[in-house]
Amino acid sequence: MKFEIMRDRLLDGLNDVTKAISSKTTIPILTGIKIDVTDNGVLLTGSDADITIQTFIPAEENGDQIINIIETGSIVLQARMFNEIVRKLPTNDVEIEVENEFQTHIRSGKTEFHLIGSDASEYPLLPKIDDENKFEIPADLLKAVIRETVFAVATSESRPVLTGVNWIIENDELICVATDSHRLARRKVKLENLPTDVDSIVIPGKSLNELNKILDETSNPVQIIMSNQQILFKTDHVLFFSRLLEGNYPDTSRLIPTEFKTNITLDGKTLLQAIDRASLVAREDRNNVVRFETLEDNAVKISSNSPEIGKVEEQIPVHSIDGDELVISFSAKYMMEALKAIDGQGQEVIVQFTGAMRPFILRQVNDDSILQLILPVRTY
Amino acid sequence: MKFEIMRDRLLDGLNDVTKAISSKTTIPILTGIKIDVTDNGVLLTGSDADITIQTFIPAEENGDQIINIIETGSIVLQARMFNEIVRKLPTNDVEIEVENEFQTHIRSGKTEFHLIGSDASEYPLLPKIDDENKFEIPADLLKAVIRETVFAVATSESRPVLTGVNWIIENDELICVATDSHRLARRKVKLENLPTDVDSIVIPGKSLNELNKILDETSNPVQIIMSNQQILFKTDHVLFFSRLLEGNYPDTSRLIPTEFKTNITLDGKTLLQAIDRASLVAREDRNNVVRFETLEDNAVKISSNSPEIGKVEEQIPVHSIDGDELVISFSAKYMMEALKAIDGQGQEVIVQFTGAMRPFILRQVNDDSILQLILPVRTY
């Protein structure tokens, strides 16, 4: 194996695939990056067994030569070390050569590194995914869908299936739901050409967080290919594979109330900032609970109280209060995360309650594609 | 105690004094900020017992009212909480009032926090420092002096006095020396009106690092007042007190060689980058040792070798080699830190050796105010 490549292009590729590599892996070869050199270019692979990221650097692009392939072959190089070496090479021309089994030479200017690589044939094979069940979604919309749901997955492994986001395909809609059983986030997206064979999968929250880091804020399409055990996200340069979670995701649709006793519309940012302040005192207590109380004259009071630290209270104006008076307590953290997901910065938000001990929901006034549900906390 | 203040001015003051506060303190009251309200303004104090930082916010500045003093008094408020509360207040107008012993109210807009403060009379008193032994130094020069020496202090407490920087006053020069007994950094500065009563003190490295964060990159004078147990650095707004280390600092002047067998001049940045690359392999070994070897034709070879990882070698050009051939090994970390302190970015550096087993020194070719000394490592 021998090739010459521009350092910057190699670095770009390494930046993508190293996101999949974990130093905590129990499979030693997965601390490495697999490099496959073919006649058409160089394929880089990084994996932590759950997530696998591949990127292909073509030998030629728009008529320009990017890589000079001298001899094809494969090697696995320790990821962190290889990455840092490439980053610190003195010139933009890099030559990589493997000889005598796994002896790898990295040359640039008058610098020469000699690393001991590993056998690429010991690197795990990627699962095969049928091209059948696929659809497309713009990258920026996919990022929004992830951001609006993934924060609500369970962090505890006591019900593993809840650590993922449930993607349901129903007619012409993709419905994404996450819940840790104390709160729930749901996002609906209308899409064309959705597959009909796969109707419900659960994607690990961690995978979606990593995918979000790789996707650009552009409207370029991301191709999504689903099977029963794997999902593949394809962009121009990157293939992102994730395993799916096994087990049946609970049916959450019946948890969402449809009739309400108190409806309050207000500015999302004003509420977020008041909760944030109340949380300064509340979070010193174990529960981080704030109290929310309707007042006369279109106002609500946000307060919290910690015997050791002190207390805080604040009145904020609301646009309207419709229905019963209400005093309710809930987690400041859940409320802040829900408001951030609705992205109510300066937007009108409606909060709909069914009593002090029942779940309540939040959404934008003119848009129900994003719904956030929170269970209140009993404080007496 | 009661006053009204602009939030931004209060925040600026808090930013300075909280740098002294450590959450790891064993003295509970030192997790707090002391607030003293007098007729002239508000004095804030933060301390970790070793370092104390004070800042005074005047009631009036250039004819503008900054604080409205309603009632004088003192209180101690938990630093982290108070800081965050002030940062998140909804308006720029803040009212702070203490009543019923230590009940503290912080009001802004329609938000009101109630905190339980502590008795200011329990806060440790500051040491008195005589104004006798004082001198001035521009802030940017003081920052440079700190940066060029403090990295070389010992991190181990086995000889506590070596965890500080030794400041010696000799005629019209301030000489600053730091050593961990494996390497040494020395900076000489000519200054006017140096005191004559105090001739050698040891300032904790940690204090100098904190001071460096507070000083601006300006030529504004910093007044330095020394006593036998304390040093005080005074800027326009901030008083920075540090205790001094006790014990006799070793006489280091006789450690510095004055006759040399090999003199090499070269570009500091070229050497730094080559050592940095060699260090990628070297640091996987316990010692982080690189090898330095003179070659014919004004070149040196930098190399390192780790049985498990691999090896690296590189030739770099030098401006001149004068004297004996040389093969020497040393810590890559020490060499990189010394080169950064000399600030040889693009500057000509001279490295002077007295044989493979003797300390060697580095400095700028045309300036001996900064000197770096490194002990080599025996590798055979």
Side-chain angles (χ1 to χ4, degrees):
Chain A
M1 183 189 118
K2 185 172 180 182
F3 66 102
E4 294 162 358
I5 187 169
M6 295 193 322
R7 185 185 59 159
D8 295 347
R9 289 303 295 264
L10 181 55
L11 262 186
D12 285 347
L14 291 176
N15 276 343
D16 284 331
V17 301
T18 47
K19 290 202 174 65
I21 297 172
S22 161
S23 56
K24 289 181 222 141
T25 180
T26 52
I27 309 168
I29 202 160
L30 291 185
T31 62
I33 286 178
K34 184 159 73 118
I35 305 172
D36 293 299
V37 179
T38 64
D39 289 327
N40 302 322
V42 172
L43 179 70
L44 303 175
T45 306
S47 177
D48 71 352
D50 288 341
I51 299 170
T52 300
I53 302 177
Q54 286 194 319
T55 185
F56 183 74
I57 310 169
E60 249 186 59
E61 198 176 55
N62 306 325
D64 292 333
Q65 189 180 40
I66 293 168
I67 310 175
N68 177 24
I69 312 272
I70 298 156
E71 193 191 345
T72 61
S74 297
I75 191 77
V76 176
L77 296 177
Q78 210 281 324
R80 191 173 52 81
M81 176 67 73
F82 182 54
N83 218 336
E84 287 204 70
I85 286 173
V86 173
R87 200 151 48 81
K88 292 191 170 170
L89 288 175
T91 77
N92 199 24
D93 297 308
V94 183
E95 183 186 274
I96 298 177
E97 181 178 8
V98 176
E99 53 173 19
N100 296 339
E101 292 272 295
F102 312 119
Q103 282 287 347
T104 308
H105 310 286
I106 304 161
R107 300 185 188 99
S108 176
K110 288 200 168 180
T111 305
E112 182 163 352
F113 282 88
H114 311 272
L115 292 187
I116 303 143
S118 305
D119 188 351
S121 68
E122 287 176 13
Y123 198 88
L125 287 177
L126 272 180
K128 290 270 171 226
I129 297 192
D130 276 344
D131 243 16
E132 264 173 43
N133 291 299
K134 67 178 174 190
F135 63 100
E136 279 187 2
I137 182 169
D140 48 4
L141 179 56
L142 177 54
K143 282 174 81 75
V145 167
I146 293 172
R147 193 182 58 78
E148 288 151 6
T149 52
V150 75
F151 68 91
V153 301
T155 51
S156 128
E157 289 283 339
S158 63
R159 283 183 70 188
V161 79
L162 294 187
T163 63
V165 180
N166 186 204
W167 281 23
I168 303 156
I169 289 169
E170 216 171 81
N171 306 322
D172 58 347
E173 267 188 335
L174 172 68
I175 305 170
C176 305
V177 178
T179 181
D180 60 6
S181 75
H182 302 290
R183 39 90 180 258
L184 175 149
R186 186 185 72 190
R187 174 66 150 106
K188 295 184 175 182
V189 199
K190 288 213 187 310
L191 288 172
E192 285 169 13
N193 302 319
L194 285 168
T196 49
D197 268 20
V198 176
D199 61 354
S200 174
I201 59 172
V202 185
I203 309 170
K206 183 170 162 291
S207 300
L208 291 169
N209 279 323
E210 291 301 322
L211 174 64
N212 194 24
K213 290 181 200 160
I214 282 180
L215 295 174
D216 294 324
E217 261 322 334
T218 66
S219 58
N220 292 344
V222 178
Q223 215 172 80
I224 300 178
I225 302 167
M226 305 197 293
S227 75
N228 286 326
Q229 280 159 11
Q230 290 276 332
I231 186 163
L232 164 60
F233 300 88
K234 249 180 165 168
T235 70
D236 274 355
H237 289 291
V238 175
L239 302 184
F240 185 103
F241 297 81
S242 170
R243 81 177 165 92
L244 298 177
L245 292 176
E246 289 173 23
N248 290 322
Y249 201 86
D251 176 14
T252 56
S253 58
R254 63 193 166 73
L255 298 175
I256 297 163
T258 48
E259 287 180 11
F260 307 100
K261 291 186 178 155
T262 312
N263 297 286
I264 299 173
T265 59
L266 75 177
D267 176 68
K269 192 179 172 189
T270 304
L271 180 58
L272 178 60
Q273 291 177 339
I275 301 281
D276 192 14
R277 281 188 285 272
S279 165
L280 287 177
V281 170
R283 72 176 183 209
E284 299 291 319
D285 258 18
R286 136 190 86 86
N287 281 324
N288 195 6
V289 169
V290 297
R291 189 177 147 110
F292 178 103
E293 189 177 346
T294 55
L295 303 176
E296 308 273 309
D297 299 326
N298 280 347
V300 299
K301 186 165 91 178
I302 310 291
S303 57
S304 81
N305 195 343
S306 156
E308 283 144 45
I309 301 293
K311 59 184 180 180
V312 52
E313 59 179 57
E314 165 162 6
Q315 285 185 28
I316 58 170
V318 300
H319 301 160
S320 70
I321 300 182
D322 170 31
D324 298 354
E325 288 179 12
L326 179 83
V327 180
I328 192 169
S329 295
F330 48 77
S331 153
K333 175 172 178 279
Y334 291 170
M335 179 54 104
M336 287 195 283
E337 289 181 346
L339 285 166
K340 283 177 193 160
I342 295 177
D343 207 359
Q345 306 283 323
Q347 300 220 30
E348 209 178 3
V349 167
I350 182 161
V351 195
Q352 298 181 291
F353 301 91
T354 325
M357 296 317 302
R358 304 287 303 277
F360 61 94
I361 65 168
L362 295 95
R363 58 178 176 82
Q364 285 185 22
V365 167
N366 301 313
D367 182 4
D368 63 355
S369 64
I370 313 176
L371 178 140
Q372 302 289 335
L373 174 145
I374 297 173
L375 263 70
V377 174
R378 191 189 296 266
T379 54
Y380 48 90
Chain B
M1 183 189 117
K2 186 172 181 182
F3 66 102
E4 294 162 358
I5 187 169
M6 296 191 321
R7 185 184 58 158
D8 295 348
R9 288 303 295 264
L10 182 56
L11 262 186
D12 286 347
L14 291 175
N15 277 342
D16 284 331
V17 301
T18 47
K19 290 202 173 66
I21 297 170
S22 160
S23 56
K24 288 181 222 142
T25 180
T26 52
I27 308 168
I29 202 160
L30 292 185
T31 61
I33 286 178
K34 184 159 73 116
I35 305 173
D36 294 299
V37 180
T38 64
D39 289 328
N40 302 320
V42 172
L43 180 69
L44 303 174
T45 306
S47 178
D48 71 352
D50 288 340
I51 299 170
T52 300
I53 302 177
Q54 286 194 320
T55 186
F56 182 74
I57 310 170
E60 247 186 62
E61 199 175 55
N62 306 325
D64 292 335
Q65 189 181 40
I66 293 169
I67 311 176
N68 177 24
I69 312 274
I70 298 155
E71 193 190 345
T72 61
S74 297
I75 190 77
V76 175
L77 296 177
Q78 210 281 322
R80 191 172 54 80
M81 176 67 73
F82 182 54
N83 218 337
E84 287 203 72
I85 285 173
V86 174
R87 200 151 49 80
K88 292 190 170 171
L89 288 175
T91 77
N92 200 24
D93 298 307
V94 184
E95 182 186 275
I96 298 178
E97 181 179 8
V98 177
E99 53 175 19
N100 297 337
E101 294 271 294
F102 312 120
Q103 282 286 347
T104 307
H105 310 285
I106 303 162
R107 301 185 186 98
S108 176
K110 291 201 166 179
T111 304
E112 182 163 352
F113 283 88
H114 311 272
L115 291 188
I116 303 143
S118 306
D119 187 351
S121 68
E122 288 176 12
Y123 198 88
L125 287 177
L126 273 181
K128 290 271 171 225
I129 298 193
D130 277 344
D131 242 17
E132 266 172 43
N133 291 298
K134 66 178 174 188
F135 62 100
E136 280 187 3
I137 182 169
D140 48 4
L141 179 56
L142 177 55
K143 283 175 80 76
V145 168
I146 294 172
R147 193 181 57 76
E148 288 152 5
T149 52
V150 74
F151 67 91
V153 302
T155 51
S156 130
E157 288 284 339
S158 62
R159 285 183 69 189
V161 80
L162 294 187
T163 63
V165 180
N166 185 202
W167 282 23
I168 303 156
I169 290 169
E170 217 172 78
N171 306 320
D172 58 345
E173 267 189 335
L174 171 68
I175 305 170
C176 305
V177 177
T179 182
D180 60 5
S181 76
H182 301 292
R183 41 88 181 260
L184 175 148
R186 187 185 72 190
R187 173 69 149 105
K188 295 183 176 183
V189 198
K190 287 210 189 312
L191 287 173
E192 285 169 14
N193 302 319
L194 284 169
T196 49
D197 267 21
V198 176
D199 61 353
S200 174
I201 59 171
V202 185
I203 310 169
K206 182 168 162 294
S207 299
L208 291 170
N209 281 322
E210 290 304 322
L211 175 64
N212 194 24
K213 289 182 201 160
I214 282 180
L215 294 174
D216 293 324
E217 259 325 330
T218 66
S219 58
N220 292 345
V222 179
Q223 213 171 80
I224 300 179
I225 303 167
M226 304 197 295
S227 75
N228 286 323
Q229 279 159 12
Q230 291 276 332
I231 187 164
L232 164 59
F233 300 87
K234 248 180 164 168
T235 70
D236 274 356
H237 289 291
V238 174
L239 301 184
F240 184 103
F241 297 80
S242 169
R243 80 176 166 96
L244 299 177
L245 292 176
E246 289 173 22
N248 289 321
Y249 202 85
D251 176 13
T252 55
S253 57
R254 63 192 166 73
L255 298 175
I256 297 163
T258 50
E259 286 180 12
F260 306 101
K261 292 187 180 155
T262 312
N263 296 288
I264 300 174
T265 58
L266 76 177
D267 177 67
K269 192 179 173 190
T270 304
L271 179 57
L272 178 61
Q273 291 178 340
I275 301 282
D276 193 15
R277 281 189 284 272
S279 165
L280 287 177
V281 170
R283 73 177 181 208
E284 299 291 318
D285 257 20
R286 132 191 89 88
N287 281 324
N288 195 7
V289 170
V290 296
R291 188 178 146 110
F292 178 102
E293 188 177 348
T294 55
L295 303 176
E296 308 272 308
D297 298 327
N298 281 347
V300 298
K301 187 166 93 176
I302 312 290
S303 57
S304 82
N305 196 344
S306 157
E308 281 144 44
I309 301 293
K311 59 185 180 180
V312 51
E313 59 179 55
E314 164 162 8
Q315 284 185 29
I316 59 169
V318 300
H319 301 160
S320 71
I321 300 183
D322 169 30
D324 299 354
E325 288 178 10
L326 179 82
V327 180
I328 193 168
S329 295
F330 48 77
S331 152
K333 174 171 178 281
Y334 291 170
M335 178 55 104
M336 287 194 283
E337 290 182 345
L339 285 166
K340 283 176 192 160
I342 296 178
D343 207 358
Q345 305 283 323
Q347 299 221 30
E348 210 179 1
V349 167
I350 181 162
V351 195
Q352 297 180 291
F353 300 91
T354 325
M357 295 319 301
R358 304 288 303 277
F360 61 93
I361 66 168
L362 294 94
R363 57 178 176 82
Q364 285 186 21
V365 167
N366 301 313
D367 182 3
D368 63 357
S369 65
I370 314 174
L371 178 142
Q372 302 289 337
L373 175 144
I374 296 173
L375 264 70
V377 174
R378 193 191 293 266
T379 53
Y380 51 90

